[in-house]
Amino acid sequence: MHNMANSLTICILVFLLCVSADGVRQVPYTINTNNGRFLLSSDSDVGICKSMVETQGYSCEEHTVTTTDGYILRLQRIPVGRSGVTADKPPVLLQHGDFSDAATWLLNTPDQSLGFILADNGYDVWLANTRGTKYSSGHTSRSPSDPAYWDWSWDELATYDLPASVRYVYDQTGQNLHYVGHSLGTLMALAAFSKQQSLNMIRSAALLSPIAYLDEITTLLGKAAAYSMIGDVTINIYCHILTSNHDKNLAHGPWPSFCSLFLDRPPPCCISPSAMDAVFKYGPQPTATKNMLHLAQTMYDYGNEDDNNEHYGQPTPPVYNMSSIPNDLPLFLAYGGQDYLSDPVDVQILMGALSDHDADKLVVLCAEEYAHLDFTLAGNANQVVYDPIMGFFSLN
């Protein structure tokens, strides 16, 4: 069953990628599930600062930080807004989800993209890029062509990448920081905070499409895709690209029915064709196949006690206890009523785990019409989500 699901999903993705349709931008992609990685990345070598930030009239700095297990991560900093006035508010670290990088926060116009909005409102903006993505592909001793380079999952992202990025921003600015995560970026934060990591440097955390439980992935083929190490989030991205009103015939053709086999949910409500073009241009980004399997399992099980003992120090995978997150940590949780991955039922399970959280330190926002990608790409997210986030930050 596992091999069949894996082959089926790869064939479908190849089919989707090879389709040529009027109005859909065709970008060369490489598909490589060897060496422990799942690679879907474009050929562009232009850095994020030069290609996406400076072109919009903002100053931008490139920074690097090395994790304690040797991965070299790139961060971008937007220290001032378009006005040129130096930031007078605390730093904010933005952490993207899976199959993406820091471009996630910059794909819309400056008035619609959270990275630019925060900078224009006086925040010192830092953009993180997890290991394995195009601009964080370095390592002190390994090459991405080495299978050992890809031997990681979100457990390592929570244990190494997030603390390294948080520490670096803190050391550079001398201030505790606000954190914003989307999707996988929320799981990294919840896992790290539940282990009391980095909390002494965090002012607050805004978690968009929070993922701590994945019991309610609703489609049979979506689950098969997740367990085949690829994840229905990839099919979600491409189906949304193929059905995103680039061409009226395409949008009303066979693709909505085909994609509904995988999604069984409405597409994003409020994403423009130009934003979806940008998604296709700048991503999806590489990730480790182990990471996809870990996401599907919630906690990666090596299959035998010896290997689990070697990696975790115990015969079974550890469980991250969400209720151990300090009750006085300011949290802003935003979820969508149409989100198939951060399903509302799973979010309620997370809310149950946080039931003892200080009432004045927990803000919950439900955008009923939003699907998973709307939180970073919707044209109206500036009013629906980002304005409330800045109001939340101003109190913390």
Side-chain angles (χ1 to χ4, degrees), residues 17-335:
L17 289 169
C18 292
V19 168
S20 177
D22 290 341
V24 177
R25 183 187 299 275
Q26 299 296 310
V27 180
Y29 282 83
T30 302
I31 300 178
N32 183 353
T33 54
N34 295 322
N35 294 333
R37 61 178 170 171
F38 181 64
L39 176 59
L40 276 170
S41 62
S42 67
D43 294 335
S44 173
D45 287 323
V46 180
I48 288 175
C49 271
K50 290 192 176 299
S51 66
M52 302 191 71
V53 181
E54 293 174 2
T55 56
Q56 297 289 345
Y58 294 80
S59 298
C60 189
E61 303 170 1
E62 294 279 359
H63 294 254
T64 58
V65 59
T66 302
T67 66
T68 56
D69 61 342
Y71 288 83
I72 302 171
L73 312 179
R74 185 82 64 84
L75 296 91
Q76 289 79 37
R77 182 187 193 183
I78 308 176
V80 298
R82 280 175 292 183
S83 67
V85 178
T86 302
D88 58 359
K89 295 178 182 176
V92 182
L93 177 65
L94 304 182
Q95 177 61 64
H96 60 80
D98 213 1
F99 290 110
S100 59
D101 62 7
T104 294
W105 309 105
L106 309 168
L107 291 174
N108 271 320
T109 66
D111 293 331
Q112 297 173 321
S113 300
L114 183 57
F116 295 130
I117 290 171
L118 288 169
D120 285 333
N121 280 273
Y123 289 95
D124 183 3
V125 179
W126 293 77
L127 308 172
N129 298 269
T130 59
R131 65 182 64 189
T133 55
K134 186 174 184 63
Y135 300 111
S136 291
S137 58
H139 192 278
T140 54
S141 62
R142 299 170 185 166
S143 163
S145 61
D146 179 358
Y149 175 93
W150 299 96
D151 184 19
W152 52 266
S153 71
W154 62 259
D155 187 53
E156 282 76 19
L157 301 183
T159 303
Y160 300 108
D161 286 32
L162 185 145
S165 297
V166 169
R167 168 60 68 180
Y168 185 84
V169 173
Y170 175 81
D171 288 344
Q172 291 292 309
T173 64
Q175 299 184 66
N176 285 15
L177 54 137
H178 299 293
Y179 177 92
V180 181
H182 175 244
S183 189
L184 179 66
T186 71
L187 180 58
M188 293 165 59
L190 290 167
F193 298 161
S194 74
K195 297 293 186 182
Q196 316 302 306
Q197 291 180 316
S198 303
L199 288 172
N200 62 323
M201 295 172 281
I202 296 291
R203 288 176 179 267
S204 71
L207 307 180
L208 314 181
S209 296
I211 294 177
Y213 305 93
L214 291 173
D215 294 336
E216 295 298 321
I217 294 180
T218 56
T219 65
L220 176 62
L221 289 178
K223 289 181 179 180
Y227 277 98
S228 69
M229 305 184 196
I230 292 178
D232 62 341
V233 65
T234 310
I235 297 174
N236 182 38
I237 290 172
Y238 281 103
C239 285
H240 289 156
I241 290 170
L242 290 169
T243 62
S244 61
N245 292 327
H246 288 75
D247 183 278
K248 63 181 180 180
N249 295 320
L250 180 65
H252 295 92
W255 293 111
S257 297
F258 175 82
C259 291
S260 69
L261 291 173
F262 295 89
L263 303 181
D264 195 29
R265 291 278 190 157
C269 72
C270 312
I271 300 179
S272 68
S274 62
M276 292 311 296
D277 272 340
V279 171
F280 206 26
K281 178 179 179 180
Y282 292 102
Q285 288 293 317
T287 192
T289 53
K290 179 179 174 181
N291 187 42
M292 297 312 301
L293 184 57
H294 192 167
L295 280 169
Q297 293 181 344
T298 303
M299 174 53 71
Y300 188 84
D301 190 336
Y302 285 89
N304 62 76
E305 292 186 0
D306 289 342
D307 286 343
N308 282 331
N309 274 319
E310 179 182 348
H311 286 85
Y312 301 127
Q314 59 187 59
T316 58
V319 176
Y320 287 99
N321 183 3
M322 296 297 105
S323 62
S324 68
I325 296 173
N327 292 336
D328 60 352
L329 173 66
L331 291 177
F332 178 101
L333 304 182
Y335 67 99

Side-chain angles (χ1 to χ4, degrees), residues 117 208 269-270 332-336 364-370 374-375 378-390:
I117 290 171
L208 314 181
C269 72
C270 312
F332 178 101
L333 304 182
Y335 67 99
V364 180
L365 183 153
C366 176
E368 185 57 44
E369 75 279 19
Y370 269 26
D374 285 303
F375 285 92
N380 65 351
N382 48 358
Q383 291 97 20
V384 175
V385 183
Y386 305 157
D387 284 349
I389 286 177
M390 286 188 291

